Amino acid sequence: MKYALSFLVLNLFCNTLLFAMEPAATLVPQTWDPVLAGKQVLDRLVTVTGKEVKGAHDAEMVLTGNHAYILAEVNDTRAGESAGWPEIYCALSIVNLKTRALEKVIPFARSEQVFQNATLPVGACFVPRILQLNKHTLRCYFASEQPGQRQAQTWYRDFDLKTQRFAETIHKAKLKTAAGTFAMQPRYFHADAAAQGFKKRAKDFGLYLFDSFKEFDGQMYVAINNFPGKQNALAKVNPDRDTFEIIGHYNEPQSVALSESAVNRLPDGTWMAICRNDGGKRNYYFTTSQDGKTWTTGKQLPFVPNGTNSKPTFDRFGDLYYLGWQEATKIDGATRSVFNIDISRDGKTWERKYRFETPHSFQYPTFAEYEGAIWLAVTQGDHSPSRKERIMFGKLEDIGACSSQAGQQQ
């Protein structure tokens, strides 16, 4: 009996030791190849900008009714983009999700365009954003700007899904700050930050809806920024979806150049933002907040070791966070040619799921979930230094595909 008991104790000890030695469960199978996974996604992307387009950038999208509605800033004269180019206009591409065919491209905002209730001034129509208001309506936002000449203004124009037509009117979006509600212009954004200690100079352009739109506890939020002013804030969107109320600014440390953030909320309710950095070595900074109003001084974190100045993404699909960031590594000398997507359950421990490597670049992606799949739109190009020549679209993955395939590559 004594020997039997000793054997049972020894056996239990050995099993416990073996269990402790086994590798912890991972979100990505050990045989998973992030580079191969990225290549497979790249191979199935399709172009969704018109054949006349020479330069394109900064797409966002809504998926509904088995179609993707993709906005982008485009121009028909040259590769690249700039807020100072008045020929840049905003266009909506409509893509059939079943066939991946580009069915229609509809320009909807350009310099000096005349509407029933207003005429746009001279200037680029820039950084478009899109939101589904209800079953029948999409709202398309854009900034109209002419740097050094006037205050930029954010406008919106609605699209009817039933008729597939835009409204003949446009409307000014508004910005709500501690001082009141104003036209959505950079000066009011800057004044609100300056009242809280922001020291950088005001800019008359560059105020954008950047990371949009995310809903938590029934409230819709958006991260906004002023790119040339290196200014960031979290804002909530009113029920009419025409006013953006500043909750809290996050610009520290001001010794670096933070902008273009992506924001999400962690399982414990903590807000976390990843910010582009145009200063120093250009690696990303992270900041957190318990209430969305007061934010920590930003810092670099070890799971993003070699980033460069470009748009990050920070989404949650199912119970997983997807963190996307541009790596400084270059493929064949091309700018923004490596982009990583890491996944996590808690926002603290990350595993690499995709690594996009291409001399065509992979920059400014946006991701959206629709009917069990994650889709993406992204800027690419072939020959220009900036590689901003067209918008590509395709499927990233079916939800849960990585873990459910027991290590088999998609």
Side-chain angles (χ1 to χ4, degrees), residues 73 78 81-88 122-126 145-149 205-206 208:
E73 59 186 44
R78 48 183 161 167
E81 46 79 47
S82 169
W85 297 355
E87 68 266 31
I88 290 184
V122 173
C125 291
F126 222 55
E145 52 192 12
Q146 190 181 21
Q149 302 298 315
F205 73 107
Y208 308 127

Side-chain angles (χ1 to χ4, degrees), residues 112-176:
E112 300 182 274
Q113 186 168 349
V114 178
F115 299 91
Q116 285 182 356
N117 64 329
T119 299
L120 287 173
V122 173
C125 291
F126 222 55
V127 188
R129 297 294 183 252
I130 187 168
L131 172 66
Q132 185 165 3
L133 293 183
N134 51 52
K135 185 177 180 180
H136 302 298
T137 310
L138 304 179
R139 177 155 291 175
C140 301
Y141 304 85
F142 62 95
S144 169
E145 52 192 12
Q146 190 181 21
Q149 302 298 315
R150 60 178 173 88
Q151 284 287 312
Q153 171 67 48
T154 297
W155 298 80
Y156 63 87
R157 188 180 182 190
D158 289 346
F159 181 78
D160 190 311
L161 288 166
K162 292 183 295 182
T163 64
Q164 297 284 284
R165 294 176 63 89
F166 275 97
E168 296 299 327
T169 56
I170 58 171
H171 304 276
K172 290 183 177 181
K174 296 183 284 289
L175 185 71
K176 185 176 181 180

Side-chain angles (χ1 to χ4, degrees), residues 16 34 52 66 100 109 118 128 149-150 162 170 181 188 237 331 363-364:
T16 302
E52 70 281 0
N66 288 317
R100 313 293 167 84
Q149 302 298 315
R150 60 178 173 88
K162 292 183 295 182
I170 58 171
T181 301
Y188 303 116
V237 191
I331 304 298
Q363 56 179 306
Y364 279 62

